[in-house]
Structure formats: structure tokens, C-alpha cells
């Protein structure tokens, strides 16, 4: 089983690294071969596409490096008192233009009277960003993504819920696995590399919590995690 997982991981990494590199090579070869025939505008367009593909490649390599450090526990939270509601509001404001383009409503719900929790603010911002972007990716125009905060026993619960396409039951156990895509036809441009939720899960576990998902096909999805009011082992 371990060997199978290792082989699948290598195959997935190879596929996702090869795609942007192949694209960049093709566009750059076009510039070289057809240079004399290209207008300035055409040349700039080809180089611009190449640059975007390089940026995509860099993002993927960065995510792989980040996930590796999290899984081997080389990265540890630098805890400080964090107001989860304020942080969620900041992340939502940052992502509202991204939500507005397809016509999706993004809102934060919950009380501002929640106590601060000991957490790494940068890490939890990454978790919120990954969860919200994932929900936006699968929510059609006119839909809604909401970030809900509530106090549970000894923790602050954060839930990102959407009115999107939902997740099939057979896919639910795998959504936090590296490179897993519920829709196998999706590439990075449509569904991402399948690393965002894996990174989020590792960060939540480092904070002593668990990332969970509830969903039904056509009924949207809700991803939630708890931030303990006391650090693990306290």
C-alpha cells in the first residue's frame, strides 16, 4: 500500500509539473520559430502566456514544499492570541473581488464577542484562504459562500459553507488527500492541483484540531475546523 501511494504521488507530481513546463516550452518555441512573422502584440501575448504558466509552476512547487514541511513537522505554529472573527473578515475582504467576478456572495457570519485563541495567524489565514477559494471554485454564479464562527466547548469552530455542486459520497473520504480531485477531468486551471485542502488539514492538525467535511451532491459543502482555546498539551 505504501509503495502504491508513493508511485501515485510521483505520477501526480510529474503530471502537474509537466503541464506548465510543456506549455511554456511550446509558446517559447513559437516565438523563436516565428519571430520574424510575429507582430509586437502577438509576441507580447505569447510571452505573457508563458509568464503566467511559469507563475503557475512556481505556485505548485511552493505548495509542494510547504506541504512537505508541514507533513514532516519542520514547520511549527508561532502562537499568539488571534481574534478568529477579525481574521475571517480580513480574509473575506481580500477574496471578495474573486467572488464577485462569477457573481458569488461571500459573507462572514458570527459574533464578534468570541475569545482570542492561541494560533499562528499566518497559518490560520492560509487555512481560511484555501477553504474559501475551494468553495468559490465549485459555487456557480448566484451562489453563496459563508464563513461561520461559533464557540463550542473549549474551542472556536470555523465553518466555510457553500451552495455549490456538492461532493459525491465516494469522494468524501478522500477530499483532504494530496492531489485528489473529485472531478478527474479538471486541471490546475479549473480545479487546482489538489494540494490546498491537504495543506489546510496539516495546519489544523498542528493546532490540535481536525478538519471535517459534510456534503451531498447538489446541496453544497461545509468544511469546518476547531481552534482550541488552549494549545495542545496545555
Amino acid at each position: 500500500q505504501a509503495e502504491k501511494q508513493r508511485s501515485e504521488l510521483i505520477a501526480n507530481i510529474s503530471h502537474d509539473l509537466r503541464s506548465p513546463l510543456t506549455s511554456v516550452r511550446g509558446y517559447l518555441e513559437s516565438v523563436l520559430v516565428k519571430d520574424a512573422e510575429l507582430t509586437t502584440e502577438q509576441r507580447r501575448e505569447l510571452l505573457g502566456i508563458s509568464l503566467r504558466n511559469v507563475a503557475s509552476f512556481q505556485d505548485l512547487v511552493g505548495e509542494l514544499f510547504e506541504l512537505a514541511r508541514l507533513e514532516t513537522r519542520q514547520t511549527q505554529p508561532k502562537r499568539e492570541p488571534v481574534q478568529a472573527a477579525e481574521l475571517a473578515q480580513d480574509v473575506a475582504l481580500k477574496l471578495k473581488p474573486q467572488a464577485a467576478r462569477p457573481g458569488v456572495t461571500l459573507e462572514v457570519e458570527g459574533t464578534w464577542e468570541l475569545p482570542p485563541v492561541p494560533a499562528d495567524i499566518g497559518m490560520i489565514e492560509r487555512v481560511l484562504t484555501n477553504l474559501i477559494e475551494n468553495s468559490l471554485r465549485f459555487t456557480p454564479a448566484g451562489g453563496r459562500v459563508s464563513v461561520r464562527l461559533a464557540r463550542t466547548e473549549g474551542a472556536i469552530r470555523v465553518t466555510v459553507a457553500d451552495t455549490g455542486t456538492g461532493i459525491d459520497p465516494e469522494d468524501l473520504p478522500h477530499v483532504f488527500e494530496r492531489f485528489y480531485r473529485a472531478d478527474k477531468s479538471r486541471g490546475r486551471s479549473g480545479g487546482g492541483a489538489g494540494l490546498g485542502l491537504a495543506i489546510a488539514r496539516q495546519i489544523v492538525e498542528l493546532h490540535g484540531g481536525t478538519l471535517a467535511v459534510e456534503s451531498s451532491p447538489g446541496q453544497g459543502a461545509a468544511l469546518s475546523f476547531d481552534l482550541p482555546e488552549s494549545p495542545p498539551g496545555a
Side-chain angles (χ1 to χ4, degrees):
Q1 183 66 22
E3 180 64 22
K4 179 183 176 183
Q5 290 177 348
R6 187 184 71 85
S7 298
E8 290 177 350
L9 176 61
I10 291 173
N12 284 324
I13 291 175
S14 299
H15 175 271
D16 280 65
L17 293 180
R18 186 169 59 244
S19 295
L21 285 176
T22 301
S23 178
V24 169
R25 178 176 178 176
Y27 284 116
L28 292 180
E29 285 178 346
S30 295
V31 172
L32 269 178
V33 173
K34 301 179 181 179
D35 185 62
E37 307 169 21
L38 296 174
T39 65
T40 301
E41 184 178 342
Q42 289 172 328
R43 189 178 295 105
R44 288 180 62 87
E45 181 181 1
L46 290 171
L47 292 174
I49 295 172
S50 298
L51 185 59
R52 288 194 293 273
N53 276 281
V54 169
S56 176
F57 178 80
Q58 288 179 313
D59 289 343
L60 176 57
V61 172
E63 288 176 350
L64 284 167
F65 181 69
E66 180 181 7
L67 182 58
R69 289 181 62 84
L70 289 167
E71 289 183 335
T72 56
R73 298 299 188 257
Q74 294 180 49
T75 300
Q76 292 293 324
K78 297 178 181 178
R79 301 179 190 275
E80 60 180 290
V82 174
Q83 293 287 351
E86 292 183 13
L87 180 58
Q89 189 68 48
D90 289 344
V91 174
L93 285 173
K94 178 182 70 175
L95 296 177
K96 276 199 172 182
Q98 184 175 327
R101 283 194 292 272
V104 175
T105 301
L106 173 58
E107 294 180 342
V108 177
E109 304 173 359
T111 175
W112 291 82
E113 303 302 320
L114 298 171
V117 291
D120 186 307
I121 190 168
M123 284 187 170
I124 300 306
E125 180 179 359
R126 181 63 185 271
V127 172
L128 286 166
T129 299
N130 287 4
L131 297 189
I132 294 172
E133 286 185 336
N134 182 78
S135 290
L136 291 174
R137 189 176 295 125
F138 298 108
T139 302
R144 185 168 181 269
V145 174
S146 60
V147 185
R148 305 167 186 162
L149 297 101
R151 192 175 188 182
T152 63
E153 186 175 351
I156 302 300
R157 177 161 296 169
V158 183
T159 302
V160 178
D162 62 63
T163 59
T165 53
I167 304 170
D168 290 332
E170 61 267 27
D171 291 319
L172 276 175
H174 306 289
V175 295
F176 301 124
E177 295 177 5
R178 293 171 298 186
F179 290 102
Y180 189 81
R181 296 186 186 91
D183 183 349
K184 300 299 189 299
S185 67
R186 292 175 180 269
R188 280 187 63 80
S189 60
L195 292 175
L197 293 184
I199 289 171
R201 180 182 66 174
Q202 291 294 328
I203 292 174
V204 169
E205 290 178 354
L206 279 173
H207 283 77
T210 302
L211 184 57
V213 58
E214 295 181 3
S215 180
S216 298
Q219 302 296 317
L223 296 106
S224 61
F225 63 96
D226 289 346
L227 289 173
E229 294 180 18
S230 299

